[in-house]
């Protein structure tokens, strides 16, 4: 581990810690920032405690996941799946691959669906009015250009910078418009310290807002100074929490239990609201290449698509074919699969809680030992796993109930 190369990675050719920071924030702080007021409406003000705990637990799991990559001190594992294989063999590897695929393909499907729906609604009654499927295909094509031609997350970092900025702007637009709305009419919001019967559902929603673990190995691999990873992760997630607070607290305070998700749906019609919808559409389109590139890099390694095995031209051709195929799959699912939102909510709650709070900590203890840890770290890790299990169970339960309502007798 010296010179230009670090565990086989050309570190001098990688991006700065700032690129890693923007990649992380862009992926983690997406629609989660705009749905947290509704999560507080479900669980009450006590949800802020869960938000804080989720930040701490997700920071810990992200740090120990990267430690697992270097667990033997001789080589670096390159992906979430390789960590799972090192810990539990092929069974662990395929289980992790399934959960990762659900997360890194399913979330882009939801993003492209949201972008298509937003543009379809914005353009109704104008010369640009198109159907939802056409707008979805256009959005997928726009995302496909950087996804196909930019090989690594380092090259997608500029898009992540704009993604972070759009999220910040949308949060401040919603904050300002909410205050104006509060001062212009009598809203009379209703608040609760805690709503026990809906609190578990709120817990899973809040925990879901810290997704990103499957991307972390590739983000760290794209860093020129990997020793800065704990700092980048802590500051990145702290930034997300700050934006979550700016959205969640005022949103719930102004609109109470009647707040909608995403928060801009609670705002009265205005040019600022229109701008917020446009900007969040831009954000999800910029976040999609980051998520999909991370999964594509894992697939390319699995399928040996690299210049070590092929010529540069053939490597590019195979990589382009794989990534175009991924875009096609995402687009077809987004356009054709009915009620995919509820199905993906079920799989998303299931996969994210496992990938964030459960698997990394279990892998870490398995690879580095259990009884060589201080007692307080073991307690901390155990509580994080329990939080993940609760979020998994009740988040899945909520999605199943939604499916029953949608597909049940009318």
């Amino acid at each position: 581990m010296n010179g230009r190369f670090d565990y086989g990675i050309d570190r001098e050719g990688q991006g700065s810690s700032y690129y890693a920071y923007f990649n992380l924030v862009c992926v983690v702080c997406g629609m989660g920032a705009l749905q947290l007021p509704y999560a507080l409406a479900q669980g009450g003000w006590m949800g802020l405690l869960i938000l804080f705990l989720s930040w701490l637990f997700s920071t810990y799991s992200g740090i120990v996941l990267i430690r697992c990559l270097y667990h033997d001190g001789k080589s670096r594992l390159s992906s979430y799946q390789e960590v799972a294989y090192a810990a539990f063999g092929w069974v662990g590897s395929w289980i992790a691959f399934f959960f990762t695929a659900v997360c890194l393909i399913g979330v882009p499907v939801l993003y492209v669906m949201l972008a298509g729906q937003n543009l379809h609604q914005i353009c109704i009654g104008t010369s640009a009015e198109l159907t939802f499927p056409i707008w979805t295909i256009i959005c997928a094509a726009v995302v496909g250009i950087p996804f196909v031609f930019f090989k690594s997350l380092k090259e997608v970092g500029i898009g992540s910078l704009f993604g972070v900025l759009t999220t910040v702007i949308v949060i401040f637009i919603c904050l300002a418009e909410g205050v104006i709305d509060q001062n212009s009419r009598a809203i009379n919001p209703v608040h609760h310290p805690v709503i026990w019967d809906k609190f578990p559902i709120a817990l899973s929603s809040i925990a879901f807002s810290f997704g990103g673990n499957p991307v972390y190995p590739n983000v760290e691999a794209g860093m020129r100074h990997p020793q800065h990873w704990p700092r980048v992760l802590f500051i990145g997630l702290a930034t997300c929490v700050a934006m979550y607070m700016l959205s969640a607290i005022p949103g719930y305070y102004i609109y109470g239990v009647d707040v909608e998700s995403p928060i801009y749906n609670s705002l009265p019609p205005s040019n600022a609201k229109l701008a917020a919808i446009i900007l969040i559409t831009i954000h999800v389109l910029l976040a999609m290449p980051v998520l999909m590139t991370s999964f594509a890099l894992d697939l390319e390694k699995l399928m040996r698509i690299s210049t070590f095995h092929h010529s540069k031209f053939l490597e590019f051709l195979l990589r382009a074919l794989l990534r175009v195929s991924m875009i096609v799959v995402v687009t077809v699912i987004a356009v054709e699969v009915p009620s995919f939102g509820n199905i993906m909510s079920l799989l998303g709650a299931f996969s994210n809680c496992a990938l964030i709070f459960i698997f990394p900590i279990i892998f870490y203890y398995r690879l580095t030992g259990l009884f060589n840890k201080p007692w307080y770290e073991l307690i901390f890790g155990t509580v994080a796993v329990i939080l993940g299990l609760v979020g998994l169970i009740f988040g899945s339960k909520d999605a199943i109930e939604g499916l029953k309502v949608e597909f049940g007798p009318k």
Side-chain angles (χ1 to χ4, degrees):
M1 189 178 69
N2 51 48
R4 180 183 178 91
F5 290 89
D6 175 11
Y7 291 101
I9 297 175
D10 180 6
R11 290 295 182 182
E12 290 186 15
Q14 302 305 314
S16 69
S17 297
Y18 293 105
Y19 273 125
Y21 165 81
F22 287 121
N23 274 327
L24 190 151
V25 175
C26 187
V27 171
V28 175
C29 189
M31 288 304 296
L34 302 178
Q35 63 91 22
L36 281 175
Y38 183 73
L40 292 186
Q42 290 178 311
W45 288 116
M46 187 64 73
L48 293 176
L49 174 61
I50 298 300
L51 179 62
F52 178 76
L53 291 177
S54 297
W55 170 41
L56 296 180
F57 292 142
S58 59
T59 301
Y60 175 71
S61 72
I63 291 174
V64 300
L65 175 63
I66 299 304
R67 287 180 185 172
C68 289
L69 301 180
Y70 304 92
H71 74 95
D72 63 359
K74 302 176 182 178
S75 60
R76 180 191 184 276
L77 303 177
S78 62
S79 68
Y80 203 105
Q81 288 71 43
E82 289 191 2
V83 172
Y85 178 79
F88 294 103
W90 285 109
V91 174
S93 179
W94 281 109
I95 291 176
F97 180 81
F98 168 76
F99 283 114
T100 303
V102 169
C103 176
L104 297 182
I105 289 295
V107 174
V109 169
L110 295 179
Y111 278 6
V112 78
M113 286 177 62
L114 175 67
Q117 290 170 358
N118 284 349
L119 292 174
H120 171 64
Q121 294 174 5
I122 290 171
C123 295
I124 290 178
T126 71
S127 59
E129 181 175 351
L130 298 172
T131 63
F132 160 70
I134 293 178
W135 272 119
T136 302
I137 293 171
I138 292 174
C139 291
V142 170
V143 169
I145 294 173
F147 175 58
V148 171
F149 289 98
F150 291 165
K151 183 177 181 179
S152 71
L153 288 173
K154 176 190 68 175
E155 295 158 317
V156 184
I158 295 176
S160 298
L161 169 60
F162 287 106
V164 173
L165 292 177
T166 57
T167 302
V168 173
I169 293 171
V170 168
I171 289 174
F172 278 104
I173 288 176
C174 293
L175 176 60
E177 288 295 301
V179 172
I180 293 172
D181 188 29
Q182 182 187 40
N183 294 331
S184 63
R185 63 188 178 99
I187 299 178
N188 299 320
V190 176
H191 307 103
H192 299 285
V194 60
I195 305 174
W196 290 112
D197 59 334
K198 293 184 178 180
F199 184 74
I201 298 173
L203 185 153
S204 63
S205 298
I206 294 170
F208 185 77
S209 300
F210 289 89
N213 281 41
V215 182
Y216 290 168
N218 289 312
V219 174
E220 189 265 355
M223 294 177 62
R224 189 177 303 125
H225 303 290
Q227 67 272 20
H228 294 165
W229 169 253
R231 185 190 315 167
V232 168
L233 179 65
F234 178 83
I235 297 175
L237 293 183
T239 302
C240 295
V241 170
M243 289 193 279
Y244 289 166
M245 292 289 189
L246 281 174
S247 174
I249 296 176
Y252 182 53
Y253 177 79
I254 294 172
Y255 295 104
V257 295
D258 295 324
V259 70
E260 298 183 41
S261 177
I263 179 60
Y264 54 69
N265 285 338
S266 295
L267 302 176
S270 67
N271 290 332
K273 177 181 178 179
L274 177 62
I277 294 174
I278 294 173
L279 287 172
I280 203 63
T281 301
I282 294 173
H283 169 80
V284 297
L285 292 178
L286 291 172
M288 280 181 60
V290 179
L291 288 167
M292 297 189 69
T293 297
S294 178
F295 187 48
L297 290 172
D298 290 340
L299 287 179
E300 287 159 14
K301 181 179 177 63
L302 181 66
M303 301 171 70
R304 296 189 175 184
I305 300 177
S306 71
T307 53
F308 290 105
H309 300 93
H310 306 284
S311 66
K312 287 187 177 181
F313 174 77
L314 184 57
E315 183 266 345
F316 171 78
L317 181 62
L318 293 174
R319 174 162 50 86
L321 288 174
L322 172 64
R323 297 192 180 198
V324 168
S325 299
M326 291 174 64
I327 286 289
V328 170
V329 169
V330 166
T331 306
V332 170
I333 296 175
V335 172
E336 296 295 336
V337 177
S339 306
F340 186 76
N342 274 326
I343 296 173
M344 201 61 235
S345 294
L346 171 63
L347 297 177
F350 187 79
S351 66
N352 274 271
C353 286
L355 291 170
I356 298 166
F357 298 116
I358 302 174
F359 290 167
I361 295 173
I362 293 177
F363 294 161
Y364 179 58
Y365 292 163
R366 170 77 171 177
L367 292 173
T368 64
L370 184 64
F371 297 106
N372 57 354
K373 308 288 188 301
W375 62 269
Y376 52 83
E377 182 177 356
L378 294 177
I379 293 176
F380 188 84
T382 300
V383 174
V385 171
I386 293 173
L387 178 72
L389 289 171
V390 172
L392 183 157
I393 293 170
F394 289 101
S396 300
K397 175 177 175 292
D398 181 40
I400 291 172
E401 290 176 350
L403 287 169
K404 286 181 178 179
V405 170
E406 186 160 355
F407 290 103
K410 303 297 182 183

